[in-house]
Amino acid sequence: MPATTARGQSADDRRIRALRPPKPYVDPFVAHGTAIDEERRPNGGVERALTIFLAGAECPFTCSFCDLWKWTTNEPTPVGALPTQVERVLTSLSQPLPARLKLYNASNFFDRRAVPLEDLPRIASLAAPFTGVTVESHVSTIGPSAVAFAQQLPGKLEVAVGLETVHPHAAAKLNKRLDLARFDGVARFLMENDIDLRVFVLLGAPYVPVAESVAWTVRSVEYAVERGAAVVCIIPVRGGNGEMERLQSLGKFTPPTLSHLEDALDECARFTDSVVTVDLWDVERLPACASCRAARIARLGRMNLSGRAAPRVSCEVCGTS
Ligand code: SF4
Ligand SMILES: [Zn+2]
């Protein structure tokens, strides 16, 4: 049985949850992954960032495209579990530590079922060596507790939120319950409290016609840039959660291609007030020509770091140029 949501479950919630494959066992005391990457920041600098993928309680929302629930527990996160996960990862790393710590808990950092209040001082203390700390949250759970956490950190807090798409019909069908006015208010609230905003935007959101897919992604990125996002990350929608396969069979979802991702980043090179990047995690699954795929992914990686447009890769096999 899936986790009980805070608000009870709608018919859409129940359908999406029923289509999911079985959830694997998740140990709430063991982080399910880490990554160290280089990231560009709005000041033009490049910093090293450590991401810890934390295990914890499932998010109460049920977005149609989400597969993060695989890394969550049905029960509330036990007190002490998150500091244990963070401490284990940090003690396994060699010095010097990266500049940024990203704590991604596959849910909402300010949902007390996912991150117990009692653990915040210990998490803040573990995060003290970092100049920037990023956590993730649905806009609906961002408020004074974010400011209180920011005040416990020596470094600067950044909150990552999913805007996903500003296409009105597609946004409504995501089952995310994201209200644009609420997003705008949260963007202002974070700025007023000197907290950075990172925004996730989807490429290939279901119900966006495939011919308009890149244009709506660029429009959504522009929306985030205009609201002061420090970083906007474009994430290609992936299948595998059951609901995406249902939508694909109905013609409502077309998996994005590597070319779409390149088009989106190329068009976003004009936005210079925010860092706009594409998510290259799992990029190998995007449909693309086998001959030029590696060179095209490498080009995207370089653009992520430089922020500057670069010539497209040409390929005699697929005729890409
Ligand atoms: S709010 Fe985030 S974690 Fe929760 S269901 Fe939606 S995408 Fe997944
Ligand atoms: Zn090719």
Side-chain angles (χ1 to χ4, degrees):
M1 183 68 192
T4 304
T5 71
R7 300 175 317 277
Q9 294 184 7
S10 69
D12 285 342
D13 292 346
R14 286 194 294 275
R15 184 197 63 249
I16 292 166
R17 285 167 182 271
L19 289 170
R20 290 174 177 176
K23 184 189 264 193
Y25 171 72
V26 171
D27 183 339
F29 287 86
V30 180
H32 62 86
T34 60
I36 295 181
D37 302 293
E38 293 202 307
E39 292 191 341
R40 185 164 46 97
R41 295 298 299 178
N43 63 9
V46 171
E47 67 181 15
R48 286 171 72 229
L50 163 67
T51 308
I52 305 180
F53 298 99
L54 297 165
E58 185 177 321
C59 172
F61 297 92
T62 312
C63 300
S64 64
F65 58 90
C66 182
D67 58 7
L68 297 177
W69 48 269
K70 288 180 201 163
W71 313 109
T72 63
T73 60
N74 290 350
E75 297 73 36
T77 308
V79 172
L82 295 176
T84 299
Q85 293 180 52
V86 175
E87 191 163 28
R88 281 180 180 165
V89 170
L90 295 185
T91 53
S92 72
L93 294 179
S94 49
Q95 299 287 332
L97 290 172
R100 175 166 301 273
L101 174 64
K102 296 196 281 186
L103 296 174
Y104 284 171
N105 64 321
S107 178
N108 307 292
F109 191 84
F110 305 108
D111 174 356
R112 299 287 71 106
R113 192 174 178 275
V115 180
L117 198 59
E118 300 92 312
D119 283 343
L120 289 180
R122 184 77 186 117
I123 294 172
S125 154
L126 288 164
F130 298 88
T131 56
V133 177
T134 306
V135 300
E136 60 185 345
S137 180
H138 190 287
V139 291
S140 297
T141 51
I142 297 171
S145 58
V147 179
F149 183 61
Q151 288 168 347
Q152 295 181 51
L153 295 171
K156 190 172 187 190
L157 181 64
E158 177 179 78
V159 181
V161 306
L163 171 62
E164 320 305 2
T165 181
V166 296
H167 185 291
H169 181 59
K173 297 295 251 179
L174 288 178
N175 198 38
K176 192 176 181 91
R177 300 172 172 89
L178 177 80
D179 175 79
L180 276 188
R182 171 81 187 163
F183 177 89
D184 294 356
V186 162
R188 277 195 303 275
F189 175 79
L190 294 176
M191 195 176 292
E192 286 161 9
N193 287 286
D194 199 27
I195 298 172
D196 284 337
L197 170 66
R198 176 181 296 240
V199 176
F200 299 126
V201 163
L202 297 178
L203 173 68
Y207 290 92
V208 175
V210 67
E212 301 171 22
S213 176
V214 170
W216 277 103
T217 295
V218 174
R219 206 175 290 185
S220 304
V221 169
E222 184 170 33
Y223 191 94
V225 171
E226 287 171 347
R227 277 144 192 88
V231 178
V232 187
C233 185
I234 299 170
I235 301 184
V237 176
R238 53 180 172 260
N241 71 353
E243 174 69 358
M244 285 294 98
E245 283 65 33
R246 185 187 77 87
L247 292 171
Q248 190 171 356
S249 73
L250 296 173
K252 303 298 185 190
F253 168 59
T254 304
T257 65
L258 187 58
S259 291
H260 290 152
L261 195 61
E262 293 177 282
D263 291 345
L265 190 60
D266 287 349
E267 289 198 34
C268 288
R270 68 176 190 267
F271 303 128
T272 52
D273 289 344
S274 307
V275 169
V276 182
T277 63
V278 289
D279 181 22
L280 294 179
W281 185 80
D282 211 15
V283 70
E284 298 294 338
R285 75 195 151 74
L286 295 185
C289 163
S291 293
C292 59
R293 165 198 294 279
R296 289 157 65 191
I297 292 172
R299 171 180 169 273
L300 290 172
R302 288 194 301 274
M303 281 182 67
N304 274 351
L305 283 183
S306 74
R308 288 189 297 277
R312 292 285 279 250
V313 171
S314 59
C315 173
E316 290 179 359
V317 176
C318 64
T320 299
S321 62

